[in-house]
Amino acid sequence: MNKLLAAGAITVAVALTSSGCSSGTSGTDRSSAPSSEGGKQKVSFLVFPSPNLPESYWKAQVELVTKAHPDLDVELVAAPSESERNDYAKQLAASGQLPDVQIGMQDLVALESHLAPWTEAELKDFLCPTCGAVNGKVLQLPTNTQTIPNVFYNKKLFAQAGIAEPPRTYAELLAAAEKLKAKGIAPFVGGGAFVTSQPWTAILATDLYARTPDWMARRRGGQTTFAADPAMKAATQKFADLAAKGYLDKRQIGQDYPKTQEAFLGGKGAMYPMGSWFAAAADQSDMKDDIGVFAWPGDDGSLHLPAFTGGGLSVSADARNPAAAKEFALAFQLTKENLDASVKADALFPAVKGYTPPSDTGPVFKAVYDLWQKAVTEKATVPAFGWEAGDAAMLPGMQGTFWSTAQDLVSGRKNVDQALAFLDTEWEKTG
């Protein structure tokens, strides 16, 4: 899912050419005419290729839309990075080069003047039409739900360590980690960027959001801070302790996201806290039948599964042809074949009325989806800390700061008090 953006890069990778997709450029040329030859309406579409969603995926999905909407001529612009996509999109927006349609991004959504709002009528087919709203305006289509994180585990490595079943309480999770470590098996697979922060997000789900689901709203309103909240400090200490005990390996911080995925699928660690999207790669692997999944357990064993709904397309406020841009975005997000493809390629849970996943999904996706459905039925979903959208999210720029702070905690560069104070300092700078 993630690669590293070269500092200050503005040039985009050459995009794809097909009957419905013309070659990519650096952003959008606002001086060009809004229509292509033959009366077709031009729409530029910024995407972020990843291991699950390579350029070939985006090309195929765009072609599905343009076949059904022959009035559209879509220019697929492939960015050179996924991991720093918020910063990249903000650079394009600041320079007046933001493409007409983009994958939804937290920091860009927060800069609401750059995006066109969606109307109530345009949102009628979505299960949560107001998810991710900013000041009452929905700026990215609330298309998908993801659970962040789940804990994927290697059944064979669990058996080697004498662990008969997934842990149901936090104490059992620690006991399992100790058994794995004693057998010379890395308890967790970790890595750089957002990967390191996944256990922290999980602990905050069970120990903070389960009790205070509006914590982020309180932080945004100045009613609490990272350093002053005892529950935040206790949860963060739990996370730091995982590293101190050797269950999280600081040597893995240098691994990028693809390498962490390869490491888990290669049997180099027993547990992999990761978003539900990992199920797609897991189901394409040889070990798909040996991968289980459980929700990160809290102290009392009750279920609290962090979830995020949003992540859909947004349309530039300066789109050359706003009507055509919205036509494309809605068609892309509501075409059943596209939704089915997103389920299989990125293990998304489409938040679209009347939609059900295809029956031929793999065993890992089915396990993740069933876990989410169980949490929904039991009203046990909570926000996914650091992944929220709109008014429920951290301030722009803070997501990356949260991720880097997680790395500092695991590496030992910061202790808990220093980390929380740093988050507060950066929050005030951003605000």
Side-chain angles (χ1 to χ4, degrees):
M1 180 173 155
N2 291 48
K3 299 175 184 175
L4 183 63
L5 174 66
I10 286 291
T11 304
V12 247
V14 176
L16 308 166
T17 304
S18 72
S19 59
C21 309
S22 55
S23 61
T25 60
S26 179
T28 300
D29 180 3
R30 301 300 178 194
S31 64
S32 62
S35 59
S36 307
E37 292 182 11
K40 290 187 177 184
Q41 301 299 313
K42 251 191 174 179
V43 176
S44 55
F45 180 27
L46 176 63
V47 300
F48 300 86
S50 69
N52 285 3
L53 305 178
E55 290 185 6
S56 58
Y57 168 87
W58 297 109
K59 176 180 177 180
Q61 302 323 116
V62 167
E63 285 181 338
L64 281 175
V65 174
T66 54
K67 283 179 182 178
H69 296 259
D71 59 313
L72 298 176
D73 177 16
V74 180
E75 176 190 30
L76 188 58
V77 182
S81 168
E82 208 279 344
S83 65
E84 299 292 334
R85 66 186 199 173
N86 280 314
D87 289 341
Y88 183 81
K90 286 192 294 183
Q91 289 176 15
L92 291 179
S95 61
Q97 299 181 82
L98 187 65
D100 300 324
V101 180
Q102 320 86 37
I103 304 298
M105 287 156 280
Q106 304 294 346
D107 289 358
L108 191 62
V109 167
L111 302 173
E112 54 186 290
S113 62
H114 289 296
L115 302 178
W118 295 94
T119 67
E120 184 177 350
E122 291 166 338
L123 296 168
K124 62 182 176 58
D125 294 314
F126 297 92
L127 289 173
C128 185
T130 60
C131 278
V134 177
N135 295 324
K137 293 184 290 186
V138 177
L139 300 170
Q140 67 177 109
L141 294 172
T143 309
N144 304 301
T145 296
Q146 295 174 308
T147 47
I148 311 170
N150 306 269
V151 185
F152 298 92
Y153 71 98
N154 185 316
K155 296 177 182 179
K156 288 184 177 179
L157 293 182
F158 264 42
Q160 288 179 27
I163 305 168
E165 58 184 8
R168 294 165 296 181
T169 66
Y170 191 69
E172 290 181 4
L173 178 69
L174 295 179
E178 187 59 33
K179 288 181 179 179
L180 290 161
K181 184 182 174 186
K183 288 287 185 178
I185 301 169
F188 292 97
V189 170
F194 74 96
V195 179
T196 305
S197 70
Q198 294 285 292
W200 195 7
T201 291
I203 295 169
L204 289 169
T206 60
D207 291 24
L208 182 73
Y209 271 164
R211 302 180 180 91
T212 317
D214 64 341
W215 190 92
M216 192 62 70
R218 292 171 57 81
R219 182 62 188 91
R220 290 179 69 116
Q223 297 167 284
T224 190
T225 65
F226 289 91
D229 189 296
M232 170 61 74
K233 183 173 182 178
T236 304
Q237 187 65 60
K238 273 188 176 182
F239 172 63
D241 287 346
L242 291 175
K245 293 175 184 293
Y247 304 152
L248 299 177
D249 188 348
K250 65 181 180 181
R251 294 172 298 180
Q252 296 178 347
I253 288 176
Q255 291 188 132
D256 63 12
Y257 173 68
K259 290 298 184 184
T260 66
Q261 186 168 285
E262 291 173 15
F264 179 74
L265 293 176
K268 296 180 180 178
M271 291 181 280
Y272 187 37
M274 185 48 59
S276 50
W277 56 79
F278 172 67
D283 278 328
Q284 294 174 24
S285 72
D286 293 337
M287 62 178 290
K288 62 184 178 182
D289 293 320
D290 293 318
I291 298 174
V293 63
F294 61 92
W296 188 279
D299 291 335
D300 64 359
S302 57
L303 175 63
H304 296 290
L305 189 65
F308 161 80
T309 298
L313 302 187
S314 56
V315 169
S316 170
D318 297 322
R320 290 170 292 187
N321 188 323
K326 283 194 167 186
E327 176 189 352
F328 167 71
L330 284 167
F332 189 93
Q333 304 279 224
L334 296 174
T335 299
K336 186 182 187 314
E337 291 83 358
N338 268 9
L339 295 174
D340 289 348
S342 73
V343 169
K344 293 181 178 181
D346 212 26
L348 299 174
F349 309 152
V352 174
K353 293 177 181 177
Y355 179 81
T356 55
S359 59
D360 60 344
T361 54
V364 183
F365 175 84
K366 288 177 179 175
V368 172
Y369 189 80
D370 287 347
L371 180 59
W372 174 63
Q373 292 285 70
K374 174 179 170 64
V376 170
T377 299
E378 297 182 8
K379 301 186 185 307
T381 61
V382 296
F385 197 98
W387 297 85
E388 307 94 330
D391 291 336
M394 289 194 283
L395 296 180
M398 284 300 299
Q399 185 185 58
T401 301
F402 177 70
W403 294 348
S404 66
T405 303
Q407 293 178 303
D408 288 343
L409 284 162
V410 171
S411 69
R413 287 191 294 264
K414 288 184 174 71
N415 62 31
V416 169
D417 288 336
Q418 291 168 335
L420 297 180
F422 176 72
L423 288 174
D424 282 325
T425 298
E426 294 304 301
W427 184 284
E428 296 308 320
K429 289 180 183 178
T430 302

